[in-house]
Amino acid sequence: MAAGSPPVPSGKTAIPFYRDTRVIAIIAQVVFALAVIALIWFLYSNMINGLRQANLLPTFSFLSVPAGFPIAESVIEYDPSMTYGRAFVVGILNTVRVAGIGIILATLLGLILGIARLSDNWLLRNVALVYVEIVRNVPLLLQLIFWFSLTRLFPRIQESISVFDLIFLHNRGITLAWPQAANDFEAWMQWVYGGIVIGVIFYVVRRIQFARRDRPGVALPYAFLIAFGVGLIGFFVTYAVNGVWPVSLSIPELQRFNFVGGITVTNSFAAMLVGLVIYTAVFIGEIVRSGILAVSKGQREAARALGLTPGQTMRLVILPQALRVIIPPLTSQYLNLTKNSSLAIAIAYPDLFYIANTINNQTGQAVPVILMLMASYLSVSLLTSLFMNWYNRRIQLVER
Amino acid sequence: MATEVSRPTSRRAPRQQIGLIEWLRKNLFSTWYNVIITVVLLYIVAQTVISFVSWVVTAPGWPAAFTNIKLLLTWTYPVDQLWRPQAAMALVLLLLGLSSGLWGGIARMVAWGAAAISVVIGLAAFTFPDLPDQTSLPGWLFMFLCAVLLAGGDLLARRLGQKLRWPLIVAWLLSYPAVILILRGGLGLPVVETKLWGGLMLTLILAISGIVLSFPLGVLLALGRRSSLPVIRTFCVLYIELIRGVPLVTVLFMGALLLPLFLPGGESIDALVRATIAVTLFSAAYLAENVRGGLQAIPKGQVEAARALGLNVFQTTLLITLPQALRAVVPVLVGQFIALFKDTSLVVIIGLVDLLGAAQNIVGQPQWLGTPGGVWRETFLVIAAIYWVFSFTMSRISKRIEDQIARSRH
């Protein structure tokens, strides 16, 4: 080697490892992970120590122990001799019940509100505005307690407030007229099944035809129409054959101490439903309104210029585009409604949170109960957003 | 030279004059279905307004809310110490007034909103009963003083100008601990246990703590979620989605039940602190998502330009992206604050007495048992009005800020 030649910097020493961003990134992540694990371990060991002293080590064995507390309303059969596990399931179903019905009603009311806010009728527009501004600026919990307190003013069952003799309000709940299966229900159901089968076949055949012709087309609404039509024809045919409608409206009748017929929901459930629907509908209404406003004016004008009727413009041009804007925030409103149903504890509707709280009070098993509670809410949230994402994708596909 | 180019004289657009009849026809009776809607709605609105007004005039329960206004505002906070919540509020409002004069913009909108609320409450406060102990100012006087502080701070700051900048920033940073110190006591002041706190005061403390304390955590989570390091990103995503997937009640419940277990030796934690921690952890997840929205809206060129200028990752984040992102999400954050302000009513469920809890307690007081139908309607209406005034003012402010930001973009 020639003396005096500069030392060739080797690749290894060019960047010291502590200045190499790739190395730093790995070190940072390891340190972070260790810190998180250490924190969790610290909290966990404290908790276990504390619980061991209190002789309350977390276990799920309480799930098979009889619960011993009554639940005011349940979708499935339940009595206090059944287990805590069963009680928990009752809670989940009650949450799903109020959230499911609430979502449907809130969507309908929200749609009406959103359209009313855009109405060319000054009075309608402003009544809707006042409703929105009042409801959304007052806490939901206060509204729920208000509705529940209102039901406490309902009279005794013998002096029920009657609405058109179809709905009765009394201090034990609200009794409504409700459809009821009659003798020929089975015969009619054959028609309904038949209708569904024909609808599905129609849909599949049309889809294959579209694919073969390589052309888009509309099949699903017609499939629904066919299934519905067959069911409707069946309804009348059953009546014509037997002289009895397959489904009758069971109208509640006041006996001495109780209503016979119809269905009765508790006041807690009614207050919960009314409160959730009125509150959530406001937010849905605003989403619908902004969704419709988001479709540019040119779209409407172009549709009208092409000769579409106002109805067709709305159905074929405005709504499909508005839906794309509407669906994502709508999903989060549905999730909000479901989560807000946990406020039921304030008005004694036995939802998931209410029952979990009771179980915790009785067994002292806070940790398992909270885990189950969280897991349940997370899976309900996850299922709802999975479904809405699927629907969202379906709608987005329309775009070309 | 033909300089006399006929310049089009700018003329106003012809004024559209429509008479009352024309307006009615256009806005209420344009089509047959609009006629039906108008008539039906007019009937319903008239009925509602008439029955509501006649109820308000004849309702027997108003004294329940107005004789208990102290309970609604501060719950069982000692009467002879009431000057302390007043002092804390005066301090914050003075700072707000100064900021309004110094920075204008958003601070000024908030200050005006606060001043408007102060005047309204001050006028309403003439009907409030006097407190037995007179160590604190009467309600109406205090509220007017608040408005004066806001306006005075504004004027003062305009005169002093930029040399107020750093003292004011420091004062803001110290204001949160200062307020807690004034309310809680210590350092010579007699201590007021937090279990005596309540009412609107507690509602405001929880909502403000929720936003202020969750701010650092939320920003870190937002940055973490956008980080390129998979471990950190995964952790942030898990945290955010876990919290957003469950209701606030369950988080509060967890705070109430599990927090005492997590600490060594079974130390007891103050119930208010537990609720504050729960609200903070909850709010941080939502704040993170809002900030992330702001971060995503920043064009990539900003980061690239910063890196090209030789700024490192931290400098880029702190000096370039974060300030822009935060400015863009201010309206959303106000919205989150409104939501939090309403949601803090949930602490009733874990046994704290906030505005709603105080109202529920008043409704249950034995002296109202004789009132037919109870006093709950009147009491709840009063607190609904309090909630409403706050939320509505804040939502207007948020709207104004949004408009201003939208204008400055164009």
Side-chain angles (χ1 to χ4, degrees), chain B residues 174-185:
Chain B
L174 291 178
S175 63
Y176 182 76
V179 164
I180 298 298
L181 181 75
I182 294 175
L183 293 177
R184 174 96 211 304

Side-chain angles (χ1 to χ4, degrees), chain A residues 29 46 121-122 136 339 374, chain B residues 27 38 231 244 262 342:
Chain A
Q29 295 188 67
N46 280 336
N121 187 322
W122 182 88
R136 76 164 165 199
K339 286 186 279 174
M374 292 255 187
Chain B
N27 289 295
T38 304
V231 174
R244 277 160 41 97
F262 282 151
K342 290 186 295 165

Side-chain angles (χ1 to χ4, degrees), chain A residues 24-26 28-30 32-33 36 40 42-44 46-48 50-51 119-125 127 133-142 145-147 149-151 153 279 283 336 338-340 342-343 345-346 353 356-357 360 366-367 369-370 373-375 377-378 381, chain B residues 23 26-28 30 33-35 37-39 41-42 45 228-232 235-236 241-251 253-254 257-258 261-265 286 338 341-343 345-349 356 360 373 376-377 380 383-385 387-389 391-392 395-396:
Chain A
I24 291 177
I26 292 171
Q29 295 188 67
V30 169
F32 180 79
V36 169
I40 291 175
F42 171 74
L43 299 177
Y44 179 77
N46 280 336
M47 186 181 78
I48 291 297
L51 288 176
S119 163
D120 54 359
N121 187 322
W122 182 88
L123 189 63
L124 181 60
R125 202 164 61 216
V127 166
E133 289 295 359
I134 288 178
V135 170
R136 76 164 165 199
N137 287 317
V138 174
L140 173 61
L141 186 59
L142 177 56
I145 292 176
F146 175 85
W147 292 116
S149 305
L150 203 63
T151 65
L153 297 181
Y279 187 76
F283 295 92
N336 279 350
T338 312
K339 286 186 279 174
N340 282 336
S342 60
L343 300 187
I345 190 166
F353 185 73
N357 193 30
N360 172 54
V367 181
V369 167
I370 285 177
L373 190 62
M374 292 255 187
Y377 275 115
L378 278 177
S381 297
Chain B
W23 186 89
K26 199 161 161 240
N27 289 295
L28 293 178
S30 56
Y33 56 82
N34 268 335
V35 173
I37 291 175
T38 304
V39 171
L41 270 182
L42 260 184
V45 169
S228 56
L229 310 179
V231 174
I232 293 173
F235 174 81
C236 293
E241 295 306 328
L242 186 81
I243 295 285
R244 277 160 41 97
V246 298
L248 174 58
V249 205
T250 57
V251 181
F253 189 60
M254 233 171 76
L257 288 177
L258 291 192
L261 292 178
F262 282 151
L263 290 188
Y286 286 82
I338 300 174
F341 174 72
K342 290 186 295 165
D343 279 349
S345 55
L346 268 58
V347 295
V348 175
I349 291 172
L356 179 56
Q360 277 183 307
W376 58 271
R377 277 166 296 191
F380 285 159
I383 65 163
Y387 276 116
W388 190 87
V389 167
S391 311
F392 184 75
S395 69
R396 282 296 108 135

Side-chain angles (χ1 to χ4, degrees), chain B residues 8 10 15 18 40 50 74 84 89 131 134-135 151 206 215 218 223 236 241 268 292 297 309 332 364 378:
Chain B
S10 62
R15 219 168 353 140
I18 45 173
V40 171
I50 290 170
T74 54
R84 282 155 65 170
M89 193 167 151
L131 290 168
Q134 287 300 334
T135 56
L206 275 171
F215 203 83
L223 292 173
C236 293
E241 295 306 328
S268 68
R292 187 167 72 105
L309 285 172
V332 190
E378 295 85 347

Side-chain angles (χ1 to χ4, degrees), chain A residues 255-338:
Chain A
Q255 303 291 352
R256 271 187 70 189
F257 298 114
N258 228 332
F259 275 103
V260 173
I263 57 160
T264 301
V265 296
T266 62
N267 281 327
S268 297
F269 177 78
M272 197 68 217
L273 194 62
V274 169
L276 283 177
V277 166
I278 285 187
Y279 187 76
T280 315
V282 163
F283 295 92
I284 294 180
E286 291 301 287
I287 290 169
V288 169
R289 172 172 160 266
S290 62
I292 293 176
L293 284 179
V295 179
S296 71
K297 211 168 150 194
Q299 293 283 328
R300 184 191 304 264
E301 288 164 355
R304 294 309 306 278
L306 285 172
L308 300 188
T309 64
Q312 284 175 323
T313 310
M314 196 60 174
R315 195 161 47 85
L316 300 172
V317 178
I318 308 285
L319 273 186
Q321 299 185 63
L323 267 183
R324 269 179 233 152
V325 185
I326 289 173
I327 294 298
L330 191 63
T331 309
S332 66
Q333 283 310 318
Y334 286 173
L335 292 177
N336 279 350
L337 189 147
T338 312

Side-chain angles (χ1 to χ4, degrees), chain A residues 21-350:
Chain A
T21 47
R22 287 165 300 177
V23 179
I24 291 177
I26 292 171
I27 293 175
Q29 295 188 67
V30 169
V31 169
F32 180 79
L34 285 179
V36 169
I37 291 170
L39 179 71
I40 291 175
W41 184 82
F42 171 74
L43 299 177
Y44 179 77
S45 61
N46 280 336
M47 186 181 78
I48 291 297
N49 282 336
L51 288 176
R52 185 174 292 132
Q53 276 162 21
N55 213 1
L56 267 176
L57 278 182
T59 154
F60 282 96
S61 61
F62 68 91
L63 284 178
S64 51
V65 175
F69 63 90
I71 298 177
E73 55 196 304
S74 166
V75 184
I76 53 172
E77 204 188 323
Y78 174 84
D79 66 68
S81 67
M82 290 179 175
T83 62
Y84 280 118
R86 179 88 171 180
F88 197 82
V89 174
V90 169
I92 293 180
L93 291 177
N94 276 342
T95 290
V96 170
R97 178 167 77 132
V98 76
I101 301 175
I103 283 175
I104 295 169
L105 294 181
T107 310
L108 291 177
L109 186 59
L111 203 63
I112 296 173
L113 258 184
I115 293 172
R117 289 266 275 130
L118 294 171
S119 163
D120 54 359
N121 187 322
W122 182 88
L123 189 63
L124 181 60
R125 202 164 61 216
N126 283 286
V127 166
L129 178 66
V130 168
Y131 168 71
V132 167
E133 289 295 359
I134 288 178
V135 170
R136 76 164 165 199
N137 287 317
V138 174
L140 173 61
L141 186 59
L142 177 56
Q143 297 184 31
L144 288 175
I145 292 176
F146 175 85
W147 292 116
F148 186 59
S149 305
L150 203 63
T151 65
R152 303 266 274 281
L153 297 181
F154 289 169
R156 290 183 308 138
I157 201 160
Q158 286 80 0
E159 296 143 16
S160 305
I161 304 168
S162 153
V163 184
F164 305 120
D165 276 341
L166 292 176
I167 304 171
F168 296 89
L169 313 174
H170 49 84
N171 58 6
R172 273 192 244 162
I174 295 175
T175 306
L176 324 157
W178 201 251
Q180 186 189 36
N183 287 339
D184 295 320
F185 187 67
E186 281 305 314
W188 178 53
M189 282 317 278
Q190 307 293 329
W191 283 87
V192 174
Y193 295 141
I196 293 173
V197 170
I198 295 173
V200 170
I201 292 173
F202 171 83
Y203 180 74
V204 172
V205 168
R206 289 296 282 173
R207 278 277 147 205
I208 293 172
Q209 278 180 353
F210 293 149
R212 203 169 283 161
R213 286 192 229 140
D214 196 22
R215 249 183 168 174
V218 181
L220 200 59
Y222 294 111
F224 274 118
L225 215 61
I226 289 172
F228 184 74
V230 172
L232 201 66
I233 293 168
F235 196 75
F236 289 109
V237 169
T238 334
Y239 176 68
V241 171
N242 302 314
V244 186
W245 293 109
V247 171
S248 63
L249 197 63
S250 156
I251 293 171
E253 252 179 87
L254 185 62
Q255 303 291 352
R256 271 187 70 189
F257 298 114
N258 228 332
F259 275 103
V260 173
I263 57 160
T264 301
V265 296
T266 62
N267 281 327
S268 297
F269 177 78
M272 197 68 217
L273 194 62
V274 169
L276 283 177
V277 166
I278 285 187
Y279 187 76
T280 315
V282 163
F283 295 92
I284 294 180
E286 291 301 287
I287 290 169
V288 169
R289 172 172 160 266
S290 62
I292 293 176
L293 284 179
V295 179
S296 71
K297 211 168 150 194
Q299 293 283 328
R300 184 191 304 264
E301 288 164 355
R304 294 309 306 278
L306 285 172
L308 300 188
T309 64
Q312 284 175 323
T313 310
M314 196 60 174
R315 195 161 47 85
L316 300 172
V317 178
I318 308 285
L319 273 186
Q321 299 185 63
L323 267 183
R324 269 179 233 152
V325 185
I326 289 173
I327 294 298
L330 191 63
T331 309
S332 66
Q333 283 310 318
Y334 286 173
L335 292 177
N336 279 350
L337 189 147
T338 312
K339 286 186 279 174
N340 282 336
S341 69
S342 60
L343 300 187
I345 190 166
I347 60 171
Y349 173 69

